[in-house]
Amino acid sequence: MGAGPPVLVRADASTSIGVGHVMRCITLIGALSDAGARPVLASRELPERLRRRAEGHGAQVIDLEPDGVLVDVQSRLVVVDGYG
């Protein structure tokens, strides 16, 4: 992981919504990591294969609670990919 500022990336994947949101974000995570940022992917119920892929691209992965509450990530930039 980079030593730069944390960048929070928020996306979900499931059988009902597909994996496109997270796959786009993983591409972004790789670029952020290459640029020296510290990407943090926050997701609910992320399938293990996507978790490993995100971590392989330099992301710290945080599991969100069912209500989607996220605490303790101090980021100046947030990227959200989803329908809502």
Side-chain angles (χ1 to χ4, degrees):
M1 278 187 250
V7 176
L8 178 61
V9 179
R10 172 72 178 90
D12 291 322
S14 71
T15 56
S16 62
I17 64 171
V19 299
H21 301 293
V22 171
M23 292 304 293
R24 278 190 296 275
C25 288
I26 289 173
T27 299
L28 177 61
I29 284 166
L32 289 167
S33 187
D34 289 348
R38 289 183 295 134
V40 177
L41 175 61
S43 186
R44 278 185 287 209
E45 302 177 24
L46 191 64
E48 187 60 32
R49 66 185 173 84
L50 292 177
R51 170 185 294 277
R52 286 192 309 268
R53 191 169 188 150
E55 290 171 343
H57 281 81
Q60 173 189 355
V61 178
I62 296 176
D63 296 313
L64 293 177
E65 298 296 322
D67 60 6
V69 173
L70 176 67
V71 294
D72 294 333
V73 174
Q74 296 183 11
S75 176
R76 298 179 84 185
L77 178 63
V78 177
V79 176
V80 178
D81 188 338
Y83 294 121

